[in-house]
PDB file of all heavy atoms in Angstrom:
ATOM      1  N   SER A  65     -10.311  -6.177  -1.342  1.00  0.00           N
ATOM      2  CA  SER A  65      -8.863  -5.951  -1.410  1.00  0.00           C
ATOM      3  C   SER A  65      -8.558  -4.443  -1.257  1.00  0.00           C
ATOM      4  O   SER A  65      -9.334  -3.672  -1.633  1.00  0.00           O
ATOM      5  CB  SER A  65      -8.289  -6.443  -2.783  1.00  0.00           C
ATOM      6  OG  SER A  65      -6.963  -6.028  -2.911  1.00  0.00           O
ATOM      7  N   ASP A  67      -5.805  -3.241  -2.841  1.00  0.00           N
ATOM      8  CA  ASP A  67      -5.036  -2.986  -4.055  1.00  0.00           C
ATOM      9  C   ASP A  67      -5.923  -2.150  -5.023  1.00  0.00           C
ATOM     10  O   ASP A  67      -6.909  -2.529  -5.463  1.00  0.00           O
ATOM     11  CB  ASP A  67      -4.745  -4.323  -4.783  1.00  0.00           C
ATOM     12  CG  ASP A  67      -3.887  -4.098  -6.021  1.00  0.00           C
ATOM     13  OD1 ASP A  67      -3.516  -2.910  -6.315  1.00  0.00           O
ATOM     14  OD2 ASP A  67      -3.592  -5.086  -6.652  1.00  0.00           O
ATOM     15  N   PRO A  68      -5.423  -0.838  -5.335  1.00  0.00           N
ATOM     16  CA  PRO A  68      -6.197   0.064  -6.141  1.00  0.00           C
ATOM     17  C   PRO A  68      -6.479  -0.596  -7.597  1.00  0.00           C
ATOM     18  O   PRO A  68      -7.602  -0.343  -8.139  1.00  0.00           O
ATOM     19  CB  PRO A  68      -5.404   1.316  -6.337  1.00  0.00           C
ATOM     20  CG  PRO A  68      -4.431   1.248  -5.077  1.00  0.00           C
ATOM     21  CD  PRO A  68      -4.235  -0.206  -4.761  1.00  0.00           C
ATOM     22  N   LEU A  69      -5.541  -1.231  -8.118  1.00  0.00           N
ATOM     23  CA  LEU A  69      -5.676  -1.825  -9.452  1.00  0.00           C
ATOM     24  C   LEU A  69      -6.809  -2.813  -9.503  1.00  0.00           C
ATOM     25  O   LEU A  69      -7.640  -2.983 -10.391  1.00  0.00           O
ATOM     26  CB  LEU A  69      -4.418  -2.366  -9.995  1.00  0.00           C
ATOM     27  CG  LEU A  69      -4.438  -2.924 -11.359  1.00  0.00           C
ATOM     28  CD1 LEU A  69      -4.961  -1.853 -12.406  1.00  0.00           C
ATOM     29  CD2 LEU A  69      -3.129  -3.449 -11.753  1.00  0.00           C
ATOM     30  N   LEU A  70      -6.727  -3.785  -8.428  1.00  0.00           N
ATOM     31  CA  LEU A  70      -7.754  -4.818  -8.418  1.00  0.00           C
ATOM     32  C   LEU A  70      -9.190  -4.318  -8.155  1.00  0.00           C
ATOM     33  O   LEU A  70     -10.136  -4.665  -8.828  1.00  0.00           O
ATOM     34  CB  LEU A  70      -7.380  -5.890  -7.277  1.00  0.00           C
ATOM     35  CG  LEU A  70      -8.386  -7.050  -7.060  1.00  0.00           C
ATOM     36  CD1 LEU A  70      -8.587  -7.808  -8.363  1.00  0.00           C
ATOM     37  CD2 LEU A  70      -8.008  -7.840  -5.877  1.00  0.00           C
ATOM     38  N   VAL A  71      -9.250  -3.245  -7.305  1.00  0.00           N
ATOM     39  CA  VAL A  71     -10.558  -2.635  -6.962  1.00  0.00           C
ATOM     40  C   VAL A  71     -11.088  -1.947  -8.261  1.00  0.00           C
ATOM     41  O   VAL A  71     -12.170  -2.146  -8.635  1.00  0.00           O
ATOM     42  CB  VAL A  71     -10.303  -1.597  -5.879  1.00  0.00           C
ATOM     43  CG1 VAL A  71     -11.670  -0.832  -5.724  1.00  0.00           C
ATOM     44  CG2 VAL A  71     -10.073  -2.303  -4.506  1.00  0.00           C
ATOM     45  N   ASN A  72     -10.267  -1.251  -8.943  1.00  0.00           N
ATOM     46  CA  ASN A  72     -10.656  -0.570 -10.142  1.00  0.00           C
ATOM     47  C   ASN A  72     -11.093  -1.571 -11.252  1.00  0.00           C
ATOM     48  O   ASN A  72     -12.152  -1.344 -11.910  1.00  0.00           O
ATOM     49  CB  ASN A  72      -9.497   0.266 -10.666  1.00  0.00           C
ATOM     50  CG  ASN A  72      -9.796   1.075 -11.961  1.00  0.00           C
ATOM     51  OD1 ASN A  72      -9.723   0.558 -13.050  1.00  0.00           O
ATOM     52  ND2 ASN A  72     -10.285   2.259 -11.734  1.00  0.00           N
ATOM     53  N   THR A  73     -10.326  -2.679 -11.347  1.00  0.00           N
ATOM     54  CA  THR A  73     -10.699  -3.645 -12.324  1.00  0.00           C
ATOM     55  C   THR A  73     -12.044  -4.360 -11.963  1.00  0.00           C
ATOM     56  O   THR A  73     -12.884  -4.631 -12.890  1.00  0.00           O
ATOM     57  CB  THR A  73      -9.604  -4.756 -12.420  1.00  0.00           C
ATOM     58  OG1 THR A  73      -8.414  -4.130 -12.684  1.00  0.00           O
ATOM     59  CG2 THR A  73      -9.899  -5.750 -13.537  1.00  0.00           C
ATOM     60  N   CYS A  74     -12.309  -4.660 -10.659  1.00  0.00           N
ATOM     61  CA  CYS A  74     -13.622  -5.326 -10.287  1.00  0.00           C
ATOM     62  C   CYS A  74     -14.737  -4.266 -10.627  1.00  0.00           C
ATOM     63  O   CYS A  74     -15.829  -4.808 -11.114  1.00  0.00           O
ATOM     64  CB  CYS A  74     -13.498  -5.534  -8.812  1.00  0.00           C
ATOM     65  SG  CYS A  74     -12.466  -6.909  -8.350  1.00  0.00           S
ATOM     66  N   VAL A  75     -14.591  -3.038 -10.302  1.00  0.00           N
ATOM     67  CA  VAL A  75     -15.688  -1.972 -10.618  1.00  0.00           C
ATOM     68  C   VAL A  75     -15.912  -1.939 -12.171  1.00  0.00           C
ATOM     69  O   VAL A  75     -17.006  -1.947 -12.646  1.00  0.00           O
ATOM     70  CB  VAL A  75     -15.298  -0.660  -9.950  1.00  0.00           C
ATOM     71  CG1 VAL A  75     -16.436   0.326 -10.376  1.00  0.00           C
ATOM     72  CG2 VAL A  75     -15.200  -0.755  -8.520  1.00  0.00           C
ATOM     73  N   LEU A  77     -15.273  -4.270 -14.389  1.00  0.00           N
ATOM     74  CA  LEU A  77     -15.944  -5.481 -14.754  1.00  0.00           C
ATOM     75  C   LEU A  77     -17.474  -5.415 -14.478  1.00  0.00           C
ATOM     76  O   LEU A  77     -18.239  -5.860 -15.343  1.00  0.00           O
ATOM     77  CB  LEU A  77     -15.368  -6.697 -14.005  1.00  0.00           C
ATOM     78  CG  LEU A  77     -15.933  -8.100 -14.268  1.00  0.00           C
ATOM     79  CD1 LEU A  77     -15.839  -8.404 -15.779  1.00  0.00           C
ATOM     80  CD2 LEU A  77     -15.284  -9.174 -13.566  1.00  0.00           C
ATOM     81  N   LEU A 140      -3.271   5.105 -11.742  1.00  0.00           N
ATOM     82  CA  LEU A 140      -3.408   3.900 -12.512  1.00  0.00           C
ATOM     83  C   LEU A 140      -3.355   4.163 -13.994  1.00  0.00           C
ATOM     84  O   LEU A 140      -4.152   3.789 -14.855  1.00  0.00           O
ATOM     85  CB  LEU A 140      -4.814   3.247 -12.215  1.00  0.00           C
ATOM     86  CG  LEU A 140      -5.082   2.989 -10.738  1.00  0.00           C
ATOM     87  CD1 LEU A 140      -6.414   2.361 -10.517  1.00  0.00           C
ATOM     88  CD2 LEU A 140      -3.982   1.909 -10.222  1.00  0.00           C
ATOM     89  N   LEU A 185     -11.585  -8.281 -21.231  1.00  0.00           N
ATOM     90  CA  LEU A 185     -10.397  -7.571 -20.871  1.00  0.00           C
ATOM     91  C   LEU A 185     -10.248  -7.442 -19.323  1.00  0.00           C
ATOM     92  O   LEU A 185      -9.132  -7.759 -18.757  1.00  0.00           O
ATOM     93  CB  LEU A 185     -10.415  -6.082 -21.362  1.00  0.00           C
ATOM     94  CG  LEU A 185     -10.228  -5.824 -22.835  1.00  0.00           C
ATOM     95  CD1 LEU A 185     -10.305  -4.303 -23.165  1.00  0.00           C
ATOM     96  CD2 LEU A 185      -8.807  -6.332 -23.235  1.00  0.00           C
ATOM     97  N   HIS A 186     -11.349  -7.232 -18.593  1.00  0.00           N
ATOM     98  CA  HIS A 186     -11.262  -7.129 -17.140  1.00  0.00           C
ATOM     99  C   HIS A 186     -11.042  -8.507 -16.502  1.00  0.00           C
ATOM    100  O   HIS A 186     -10.404  -8.641 -15.534  1.00  0.00           O
ATOM    101  CB  HIS A 186     -12.533  -6.383 -16.663  1.00  0.00           C
ATOM    102  CG  HIS A 186     -12.560  -4.969 -17.168  1.00  0.00           C
ATOM    103  ND1 HIS A 186     -11.553  -4.092 -17.345  1.00  0.00           N
ATOM    104  CD2 HIS A 186     -13.748  -4.355 -17.626  1.00  0.00           C
ATOM    105  CE1 HIS A 186     -11.930  -3.027 -17.826  1.00  0.00           C
ATOM    106  NE2 HIS A 186     -13.225  -3.143 -18.070  1.00  0.00           N
ATOM    107  N   VAL A 187     -11.754  -9.440 -17.132  1.00  0.00           N
ATOM    108  CA  VAL A 187     -11.574 -10.832 -16.568  1.00  0.00           C
ATOM    109  C   VAL A 187     -10.112 -11.329 -16.668  1.00  0.00           C
ATOM    110  O   VAL A 187      -9.596 -11.901 -15.794  1.00  0.00           O
ATOM    111  CB  VAL A 187     -12.473 -11.832 -17.389  1.00  0.00           C
ATOM    112  CG1 VAL A 187     -12.116 -13.270 -17.141  1.00  0.00           C
ATOM    113  CG2 VAL A 187     -13.940 -11.595 -17.039  1.00  0.00           C
ATOM    114  N   ARG A 188      -9.498 -10.917 -17.838  1.00  0.00           N
ATOM    115  CA  ARG A 188      -8.092 -11.321 -18.016  1.00  0.00           C
ATOM    116  C   ARG A 188      -7.197 -10.651 -16.906  1.00  0.00           C
ATOM    117  O   ARG A 188      -6.338 -11.280 -16.371  1.00  0.00           O
ATOM    118  CB  ARG A 188      -7.610 -10.886 -19.311  1.00  0.00           C
ATOM    119  CG  ARG A 188      -6.058 -11.236 -19.601  1.00  0.00           C
ATOM    120  CD  ARG A 188      -5.592 -10.821 -20.994  1.00  0.00           C
ATOM    121  NE  ARG A 188      -4.250 -11.078 -21.164  1.00  0.00           N
ATOM    122  CZ  ARG A 188      -3.242 -10.191 -20.926  1.00  0.00           C
ATOM    123  NH1 ARG A 188      -3.569  -8.912 -20.534  1.00  0.00           N
ATOM    124  NH2 ARG A 188      -2.003 -10.431 -20.879  1.00  0.00           N
ATOM    125  N   LYS A 189      -7.551  -9.364 -16.622  1.00  0.00           N
ATOM    126  CA  LYS A 189      -6.735  -8.614 -15.596  1.00  0.00           C
ATOM    127  C   LYS A 189      -6.909  -9.403 -14.231  1.00  0.00           C
ATOM    128  O   LYS A 189      -5.865  -9.634 -13.510  1.00  0.00           O
ATOM    129  CB  LYS A 189      -7.267  -7.222 -15.420  1.00  0.00           C
ATOM    130  CG  LYS A 189      -6.547  -6.280 -16.360  1.00  0.00           C
ATOM    131  CD  LYS A 189      -6.969  -4.808 -15.934  1.00  0.00           C
ATOM    132  CE  LYS A 189      -6.267  -3.824 -16.803  1.00  0.00           C
ATOM    133  NZ  LYS A 189      -6.687  -2.407 -16.341  1.00  0.00           N
ATOM    134  N   VAL A 190      -8.136  -9.714 -13.830  1.00  0.00           N
ATOM    135  CA  VAL A 190      -8.368 -10.369 -12.594  1.00  0.00           C
ATOM    136  C   VAL A 190      -7.758 -11.716 -12.579  1.00  0.00           C
ATOM    137  O   VAL A 190      -7.135 -12.154 -11.505  1.00  0.00           O
ATOM    138  CB  VAL A 190      -9.897 -10.454 -12.344  1.00  0.00           C
ATOM    139  CG1 VAL A 190     -10.191 -11.283 -11.121  1.00  0.00           C
ATOM    140  CG2 VAL A 190     -10.586  -9.111 -12.192  1.00  0.00           C
ATOM    141  N   ARG A 191      -7.868 -12.459 -13.644  1.00  0.00           N
ATOM    142  CA  ARG A 191      -7.250 -13.732 -13.769  1.00  0.00           C
ATOM    143  C   ARG A 191      -5.756 -13.721 -13.473  1.00  0.00           C
ATOM    144  O   ARG A 191      -5.169 -14.494 -12.738  1.00  0.00           O
ATOM    145  CB  ARG A 191      -7.558 -14.367 -15.114  1.00  0.00           C
ATOM    146  CG  ARG A 191      -7.050 -15.827 -15.275  1.00  0.00           C
ATOM    147  CD  ARG A 191      -5.812 -15.882 -16.179  1.00  0.00           C
ATOM    148  NE  ARG A 191      -6.027 -15.382 -17.560  1.00  0.00           N
ATOM    149  CZ  ARG A 191      -5.111 -15.213 -18.316  1.00  0.00           C
ATOM    150  NH1 ARG A 191      -3.866 -15.427 -18.041  1.00  0.00           N
ATOM    151  NH2 ARG A 191      -5.382 -14.744 -19.606  1.00  0.00           N
ATOM    152  N   ARG A 192      -5.078 -12.759 -14.127  1.00  0.00           N
ATOM    153  CA  ARG A 192      -3.619 -12.691 -13.981  1.00  0.00           C
ATOM    154  C   ARG A 192      -3.211 -12.243 -12.555  1.00  0.00           C
ATOM    155  O   ARG A 192      -2.222 -12.626 -11.984  1.00  0.00           O
ATOM    156  CB  ARG A 192      -3.118 -11.607 -15.022  1.00  0.00           C
ATOM    157  CG  ARG A 192      -3.087 -12.253 -16.437  1.00  0.00           C
ATOM    158  CD  ARG A 192      -2.586 -11.259 -17.502  1.00  0.00           C
ATOM    159  NE  ARG A 192      -1.107 -10.935 -17.183  1.00  0.00           N
ATOM    160  CZ  ARG A 192      -0.132 -11.599 -17.494  1.00  0.00           C
ATOM    161  NH1 ARG A 192      -0.313 -12.781 -18.140  1.00  0.00           N
ATOM    162  NH2 ARG A 192       1.095 -11.142 -17.279  1.00  0.00           N
ATOM    163  N   MET A 193      -4.042 -11.259 -11.990  1.00  0.00           N
ATOM    164  CA  MET A 193      -3.745 -10.846 -10.596  1.00  0.00           C
ATOM    165  C   MET A 193      -3.946 -11.980  -9.633  1.00  0.00           C
ATOM    166  O   MET A 193      -3.362 -11.897  -8.513  1.00  0.00           O
ATOM    167  CB  MET A 193      -4.600  -9.619 -10.295  1.00  0.00           C
ATOM    168  CG  MET A 193      -4.121  -8.304 -10.915  1.00  0.00           C
ATOM    169  SD  MET A 193      -4.950  -6.841 -10.316  1.00  0.00           S
ATOM    170  CE  MET A 193      -6.369  -6.906 -11.356  1.00  0.00           C
ATOM    171  N   ALA A 194      -4.834 -12.939 -10.016  1.00  0.00           N
ATOM    172  CA  ALA A 194      -5.103 -14.081  -9.087  1.00  0.00           C
ATOM    173  C   ALA A 194      -4.000 -15.121  -9.344  1.00  0.00           C
ATOM    174  O   ALA A 194      -3.990 -16.174  -8.635  1.00  0.00           O
ATOM    175  CB  ALA A 194      -6.426 -14.647  -9.428  1.00  0.00           C
ATOM    176  N   GLY A 195      -3.054 -14.860 -10.256  1.00  0.00           N
ATOM    177  CA  GLY A 195      -1.886 -15.854 -10.433  1.00  0.00           C
ATOM    178  C   GLY A 195      -2.209 -16.920 -11.363  1.00  0.00           C
ATOM    179  O   GLY A 195      -1.375 -17.931 -11.504  1.00  0.00           O
ATOM    180  N   ILE A 196      -3.350 -16.896 -12.164  1.00  0.00           N
ATOM    181  CA  ILE A 196      -3.681 -17.961 -13.129  1.00  0.00           C
ATOM    182  C   ILE A 196      -3.139 -17.507 -14.455  1.00  0.00           C
ATOM    183  O   ILE A 196      -3.769 -16.660 -15.159  1.00  0.00           O
ATOM    184  CB  ILE A 196      -5.207 -18.134 -13.177  1.00  0.00           C
ATOM    185  CG1 ILE A 196      -5.747 -18.458 -11.821  1.00  0.00           C
ATOM    186  CG2 ILE A 196      -5.593 -19.226 -14.131  1.00  0.00           C
ATOM    187  CD1 ILE A 196      -7.298 -18.469 -11.761  1.00  0.00           C
ATOM    188  N   ARG A 197      -2.034 -18.075 -14.902  1.00  0.00           N
ATOM    189  CA  ARG A 197      -1.247 -17.691 -16.139  1.00  0.00           C
ATOM    190  C   ARG A 197      -0.843 -18.854 -17.027  1.00  0.00           C
ATOM    191  O   ARG A 197      -0.058 -18.620 -17.849  1.00  0.00           O
ATOM    192  CB  ARG A 197      -0.058 -16.837 -15.746  1.00  0.00           C
ATOM    193  CG  ARG A 197      -0.445 -15.574 -14.857  1.00  0.00           C
ATOM    194  CD  ARG A 197       0.799 -14.674 -14.701  1.00  0.00           C
ATOM    195  NE  ARG A 197       0.394 -13.487 -13.892  1.00  0.00           N
ATOM    196  CZ  ARG A 197       1.082 -12.358 -13.851  1.00  0.00           C
ATOM    197  NH1 ARG A 197       2.213 -12.309 -14.606  1.00  0.00           N
ATOM    198  NH2 ARG A 197       0.776 -11.420 -13.038  1.00  0.00           N
ATOM    199  N   GLU A 207     -10.898 -18.142 -22.367  1.00  0.00           N
ATOM    200  CA  GLU A 207     -10.909 -16.709 -22.186  1.00  0.00           C
ATOM    201  C   GLU A 207     -10.234 -15.896 -23.326  1.00  0.00           C
ATOM    202  O   GLU A 207     -10.887 -14.903 -23.827  1.00  0.00           O
ATOM    203  CB  GLU A 207     -10.207 -16.338 -20.915  1.00  0.00           C
ATOM    204  CG  GLU A 207     -10.156 -14.843 -20.627  1.00  0.00           C
ATOM    205  CD  GLU A 207      -8.834 -14.535 -19.938  1.00  0.00           C
ATOM    206  OE1 GLU A 207      -8.535 -14.944 -18.795  1.00  0.00           O
ATOM    207  OE2 GLU A 207      -7.963 -13.906 -20.510  1.00  0.00           O
ATOM    208  N   GLU A 271       2.257 -14.245 -23.585  1.00  0.00           N
ATOM    209  CA  GLU A 271       1.741 -15.360 -22.672  1.00  0.00           C
ATOM    210  C   GLU A 271       2.067 -16.763 -23.261  1.00  0.00           C
ATOM    211  O   GLU A 271       2.553 -17.561 -22.534  1.00  0.00           O
ATOM    212  CB  GLU A 271       0.251 -15.133 -22.480  1.00  0.00           C
ATOM    213  CG  GLU A 271      -0.074 -14.216 -21.441  1.00  0.00           C
ATOM    214  CD  GLU A 271      -1.466 -14.410 -20.914  1.00  0.00           C
ATOM    215  OE1 GLU A 271      -2.168 -15.345 -21.193  1.00  0.00           O
ATOM    216  OE2 GLU A 271      -1.844 -13.550 -19.977  1.00  0.00           O
TER     217      GLU A 271
END
Side-chain angles (χ1 to χ4, degrees):
S65 171
D67 180 5
L69 182 58
L70 179 58
V71 171
N72 182 272
T73 305
C74 288
V75 179
L77 178 57
L140 304 177
L185 282 180
H186 302 316
V187 165
R188 177 177 178 270
K189 271 189 180 181
V190 173
R191 183 257 298 172
R192 288 178 62 81
M193 283 187 278
I196 304 172
R197 303 191 178 195
E207 177 217 290
E271 280 201 359

